[in-house]
Amino acid sequence: MFLGAISASAVDVVQAQDTPAKELFGGVTLPTRAAPSPYGSYAKGCIAGAVAIPTDGPTWQAMRLSRNRRWGHPQMIALLERFSQDAAQLGWGSGILIGDISQPRGGPMLSGHASHQVGLDADIWFTPKPAQPLTASQREDMPFTSMLDKSKFLTVDKRRWTNVHAQVVVKAASYPQVERIFVNPAIKKKLCETWTGDRAVLGKIRPIYGHDEHFHIRIRCPEGASGCKPQAPVAPGDGCDQSLAWWFTKEPWAAPKKDPNAKPAPKPRATQLDDLPKACSAILHAKGPGSELEATYQPRGGAMPATSASAFVAPAQAIATPFELPAEVPVPPARPSGL
């Protein structure tokens, strides 16, 4: 029996060695049964003990449910609950529409993102939650709405962008646990030109490619999460400076110059499991809960959960001890050259 378990583990390691990490993590449907612990960076990591935001709440709906990306650290999920209430109070429809957060165990995704790997990122649609709840098919098929005037270069569409849009984005940036909000450069410029309230949090709102149909919330590494790699702090100031002006030059959008004598670049290598923090191998193979319901966040009226506690009420048979790495982590070895 024991020998069989070792053999099965060895097979898993060999298979993982040859399979891109995005396929491994993208194929897992449930999280680990463990205390919440992010490992690695926002763009190269994983998470133990993630919880799912309920598909429907009084002031939110989760979108694109077929992707199974509504999982995150409990502090991220609690923030979304609180923000959804605040957004509704600002006049943002009946709440927010939530896009991708993370996969059940984080890690690289099959499509759509380079980040969102440690349960500390979340996308919010630039479309308010309607009064009438969306149907299952609408959640999957409803198109995004861009805030840009596509007939002009990097210009916000004044027919769509409102003061409430600005209030909602700035509100998201105002929470102390939020480190960054990513928006399209045109939206950042619009905020720089028009925001008349407290500008102290504008520096958290960062310009980036895309992000004209949704904005991206990123929170800091939770206190005590020693395996989480923080991002460099945002520079002082409101960000309405040369770092923003650069986006309105040709440089960010120019096609790279090609050397006619250069050899064809090799095909990019897919991220493998052994490229991620060592903890991710153990997390990938760890036991999960018996059902999605067991790992679904229980709303607490917007209060932030304790750092060391899981945000869901585990069943009696669940393992209540924090996630710990074994002495020997089964990390696949580097592949031999030429294979």
Side-chain angles (χ1 to χ4, degrees), residues 17 20 44 266-276 333-335:
Q17 181 178 331
K44 183 182 281 188
K267 185 177 180 181
R269 173 180 172 274
T271 298
Q272 302 293 315
L273 184 58
D274 58 352
D275 294 322
L276 302 176
R335 297 181 67 181

Side-chain angles (χ1 to χ4, degrees), residues 4-18:
I6 292 178
S7 299
S9 178
V11 170
D12 289 342
V13 169
V14 171
Q15 290 177 339
Q17 181 178 331
D18 296 324

Side-chain angles (χ1 to χ4, degrees), residues 30-64:
L30 292 172
T32 62
R33 183 183 287 168
S37 302
Y39 291 90
S41 67
Y42 298 94
K44 183 182 281 188
C46 57
I47 180 172
V51 294
I53 193 165
T55 58
D56 295 85
T59 49
W60 77 81
Q61 278 196 287
M63 303 295 285
R64 307 297 197 249

